[in-house]
Amino acid sequence: MTTEITARDKLLLYVVGMFAFIFFFVQFMLIPALSASDQAAADLAVAQQAQIAMQDTIALSGTNAAAKTESWAALQQANASYYGLLSSSDLDTLVSNLELGHNLAPLSLEISSINTQSLTGYAASDKAEDTAAPGEIDSSDPTLATADTNAVLMELAPPLTRVYASADYFKACTVTFRCTGSDSDFYTMLDDLAGQYPSVQLRSVQIDHAAYTDASGTTTGTATFTVQLSVILCDKESVAS
């Protein structure tokens, strides 16, 4: 027995088919397409932001290059004020000329070996406004870190890192000498030391006054000065432009 499909059944099948087509179209074509469009829009926004940042970097490249050149020139100028890695005879000549140039008579001279000092400790000593030596500062204190400064030094002066192995350090030696003379000449020497010798720092001074009488009965006063200096050294040949 054959059942005839009525017009109503045909209409019902047509409606169900249309709904099925619309469902599959929305589920498997329209929704994925909209998701892909949203992702593409988000990727485009990120790319545009990256492009803007790159354009800003390119626009500032000239300024950054000029700032680097200026900083390098400042480093070279500052370095010119400091001594190279002097020998003991060089330091002997330096101190002796300083004494004799101010009418002081040398008595003794002691020169230590060249030591590597902590730049962090040196900065801490300067901030504390005390007379402690750089080696006496606890450079392990994290509050004394100079990471930003060291990063700049390592960028601007990479030859320094080859000589000192790290931009956190510099080299120095201690010079202790005794001399005699007048107080006024000694104080003039200290003034000259402070104004003309930026890489020679006064560590300590001891003044001993005494009087003696010669054969004629004349009493003369004399002063003996014991001075300790810290000489900051920098290898200029390794910081060449």
Side-chain angles (χ1 to χ4, degrees), residues 151-163:
V152 172
L153 286 175
M154 293 179 70
E155 177 183 356
L156 296 181
L160 275 176
T161 62
R162 293 198 295 270
V163 176

Side-chain angles (χ1 to χ4, degrees), residues 49-65:
Q49 291 177 353
Q51 181 183 17
I52 293 173
M54 184 61 66
Q55 289 173 342
D56 292 340
T57 302
I58 294 173
L60 292 174
S61 60
T63 302
N64 293 336

Side-chain angles (χ1 to χ4, degrees), residues 29-229:
M29 296 184 65
L30 184 60
I31 292 178
L34 291 176
S35 299
S37 178
D38 291 340
Q39 184 62 44
D43 293 341
L44 177 61
V46 172
Q48 288 175 338
Q49 291 177 353
Q51 181 183 17
I52 293 173
M54 184 61 66
Q55 289 173 342
D56 292 340
T57 302
I58 294 173
L60 292 174
S61 60
T63 302
N64 293 336
K68 182 176 181 179
T69 301
E70 183 179 353
S71 298
W72 176 261
L75 178 63
Q76 296 289 68
Q77 182 178 1
N79 181 61
S81 300
Y82 292 84
Y83 296 108
L85 301 182
L86 301 177
S87 65
S88 294
S89 60
D90 295 328
L91 290 167
D92 187 343
T93 302
L94 172 68
V95 175
S96 297
N97 288 341
L98 187 63
E99 294 173 298
L100 297 175
H102 293 85
N103 301 318
L104 300 172
L107 295 178
S108 65
L109 177 64
E110 180 181 348
I111 300 173
S112 74
S113 59
I114 296 176
N115 298 315
T116 301
Q117 303 288 343
S118 167
L119 183 62
T120 302
Y122 177 77
S125 176
D126 182 63
K127 288 181 180 179
E129 298 182 354
D130 55 27
T131 57
E136 297 172 352
I137 301 298
D138 181 11
S139 59
S140 64
D141 186 348
T143 62
L144 306 180
T146 55
D148 294 339
T149 301
N150 295 335
V152 172
L153 286 175
M154 293 179 70
E155 177 183 356
L156 296 181
L160 275 176
T161 62
R162 293 198 295 270
V163 176
Y164 300 121
S166 171
D168 292 335
Y169 297 92
F170 67 98
K171 293 184 180 293
C173 69
T174 300
V175 176
T176 304
F177 67 91
R178 295 175 66 248
C179 59
T180 60
S182 68
D183 288 347
S184 60
D185 288 337
F186 179 73
Y187 295 141
T188 300
M189 184 196 72
L190 293 185
D191 290 339
D192 186 37
L193 186 67
Q196 304 298 324
Y197 297 83
S199 61
V200 179
Q201 298 182 341
L202 184 64
R203 295 280 298 277
S204 66
V205 173
Q206 179 181 336
I207 303 176
D208 298 313
H209 290 92
Y212 66 91
T213 304
D214 59 18
S216 64
T218 303
T219 301
T220 304
T222 185
T224 302
F225 309 98
T226 303
V227 182
Q228 188 178 68
L229 304 175

